[in-house]
């Protein structure tokens, strides 16, 4: 199984579970849930960022493409799973809500994976200073030391 399928499926389940739990808590108490929503959003973003940073640190091959495909799978998968979960556990959400979930909800979930994953992929390789110390390709060529005397213009 490809790495992007695993990442997308796991993140789709995580997004759907968080979405259903937040919807259930909102149904029980419609006011005062803004802190819970912010924390749940931070958890979703954090999972993708940390996982992508670990991929960058471990130098997983073709990790950029894997995270783009994982974001797409997460978007569609979490839309279907959260609609199903809300219909089963929270309220009478039906198939009529699936169209809205597959457009706006899927795009939002995909962005919640893609943006922090991109950040994680940038930060991940820089987490190990020992590995980067041996690489001379990224460092500019050393500059020549200036002479203490000015050069002669007469050709001496």
């Amino acid at each position: 199984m490809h790495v992007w399928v695993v990442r997308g499926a796991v993140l789709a389940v995580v997004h759907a579970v968080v979405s259903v739990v937040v919807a259930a808590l909102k149904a029980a108490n419609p006011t005062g849930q803004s802190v819970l929503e912010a924390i749940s959003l931070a958890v979703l973003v954090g999972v993708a960022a940390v996982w992508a940073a670990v991929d960058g640190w471990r130098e997983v091959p073709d990790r950029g493409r894997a995270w783009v495909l994982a974001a797409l799978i997460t978007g569609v998968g979490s839309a279907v799973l959260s609609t199903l979960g809300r219909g089963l556990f929270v309220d009478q959400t039906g198939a009529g809500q699936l169209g809205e979930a597959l457009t706006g909800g899927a795009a939002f979930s995909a962005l919640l994976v893609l943006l922090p994953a991109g950040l994680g992929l940038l930060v991940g390789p820089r987490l190990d200073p020992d590995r980067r110390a041996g690489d001379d390709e990224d460092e500019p060529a050393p500059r020549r030391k200036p002479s203490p005397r000015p050069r002669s213009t007469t050709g001496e």
Side-chain angles (χ1 to χ4, degrees):
M1 189 176 292
H2 294 287
V3 295
W4 49 271
V5 174
V6 173
R7 283 159 180 72
V10 169
L11 289 172
V13 170
V14 169
H15 279 238
V17 167
V18 168
S19 174
V20 170
V21 168
V22 168
L25 291 173
K26 277 179 129 179
N29 183 11
T31 60
Q33 298 297 328
S34 61
V35 173
L36 176 68
E37 290 175 6
I39 290 172
S40 65
L41 188 66
V43 166
L44 296 176
V45 167
V47 168
V50 169
W51 198 348
V54 169
D55 280 354
W57 175 63
R58 290 181 46 222
E59 296 181 355
V60 173
D62 207 14
R63 57 192 170 267
R65 183 175 66 128
W67 277 101
V68 169
L69 294 172
L72 295 175
I73 289 173
T74 301
V76 174
S78 68
V80 171
L81 290 175
S82 63
T83 302
L84 183 64
R86 283 185 20 220
L88 290 174
F89 300 114
V90 180
D91 52 18
Q92 299 300 318
T93 301
Q97 297 294 320
L98 192 56
E100 180 182 326
L102 283 173
T103 54
F108 183 67
S109 294
L111 282 175
L112 281 181
V113 171
L114 191 60
L115 295 178
L119 181 65
L121 290 175
L122 287 175
V123 171
R126 291 162 179 77
L127 293 177
D128 192 3
D130 295 335
R131 188 181 302 169
R132 300 299 290 169
D135 293 343
D136 291 336
E137 298 170 349
D138 293 340
E139 296 178 14
R143 298 179 80 189
R144 283 189 3 196
K145 213 175 189 182
S147 164
R149 292 186 289 161
R151 289 187 222 169
S152 170
T153 59
T154 60
E156 293 179 25

